[in-house]
Amino acid sequence: MKTLLAALLAAALPAAASELVSFPDNRPQQRSQTGAPVTVINLWAAWCAPCRKEMPLMSAWYAKQPKGSVALIGIALDSEANIARFLRTTPVNYPVWRYTGNDSRAWMNALGNTVGGIPYTLIEARNCSFKHSITGEVDGKKLDEAVKLVRSRCKTARR
């Protein structure tokens, strides 16, 4: 019974370490390793016009955050070539990872993105079950409000 339960729980968890790799070096990554009290995860692709529009805004927002207070990670649902081409023209100051799994729809659903659209942003705090998500384009104001909400709901995220 315990083995079956463990297998079911493992299947329900979004992105095993092998499904997320850093770009461009392809090292396995895990969402839990950011170390910041609040983590902002943004799902994007180079072919997504709203994603291309929001990324410079997110980069500027991230640059204004106190060091260590927030982690921002862009997770691309795209090919290495498309990511490289896009980042040459639109560099960002936060880590970019790439989803390499076989079922991005199921993975996004496990993150709370039941629509399956991008851009999609998830704001979560370490050791807190409350998560806030934004479907569609974000800017600094939306990110400030989302981080404030998560911090207010999660005592461990206050800094």
Side-chain angles (χ1 to χ4, degrees):
M1 183 70 171
K2 280 187 177 180
T3 306
L4 177 60
L5 180 58
L8 289 172
L9 288 173
L13 293 174
S18 63
E19 292 181 326
L20 293 174
V21 297
S22 56
F23 179 83
D25 59 10
N26 290 319
R27 280 191 256 155
Q29 301 295 317
Q30 293 180 353
R31 290 173 31 220
S32 61
Q33 71 192 46
T34 66
V38 175
T39 301
V40 177
I41 298 168
N42 178 259
L43 306 184
W44 67 282
W47 48 262
C48 165
C51 300
R52 292 192 309 266
K53 183 178 175 188
E54 77 179 357
M55 288 180 73
L57 301 173
M58 288 190 312
S59 192
W61 174 83
Y62 184 58
K64 294 177 185 175
Q65 302 310 301
K67 186 172 176 82
S69 65
V70 176
L72 172 58
I73 302 163
I75 300 178
L77 305 172
D78 211 329
S79 70
E80 288 183 76
N82 287 345
I83 297 166
R85 198 170 17 260
F86 174 74
L87 292 177
R88 274 194 296 276
T89 60
T90 311
V92 296
N93 61 357
Y94 54 86
V96 172
W97 297 353
R98 189 169 61 89
Y99 173 74
T100 60
N102 296 322
D103 192 348
S104 61
R105 178 76 69 173
W107 178 71
M108 287 191 292
N109 192 45
L111 286 176
N113 184 352
T114 57
V115 175
I118 56 173
Y120 177 80
T121 305
L122 178 68
I123 302 89
E124 59 188 5
R126 191 174 42 220
N127 302 322
C128 181
S129 62
F130 177 78
K131 296 174 184 353
H132 180 70
S133 63
I134 303 168
T135 302
E137 198 175 315
V138 298
D139 56 22
K141 182 179 178 187
K142 286 182 181 179
L143 289 170
D144 283 340
E145 291 169 357
V147 168
K148 183 178 178 181
L149 175 63
V150 168
R151 283 192 171 127
S152 73
R153 297 277 186 97
C154 301
K155 292 180 171 96
T156 60
R158 295 186 184 139
R159 211 173 193 191

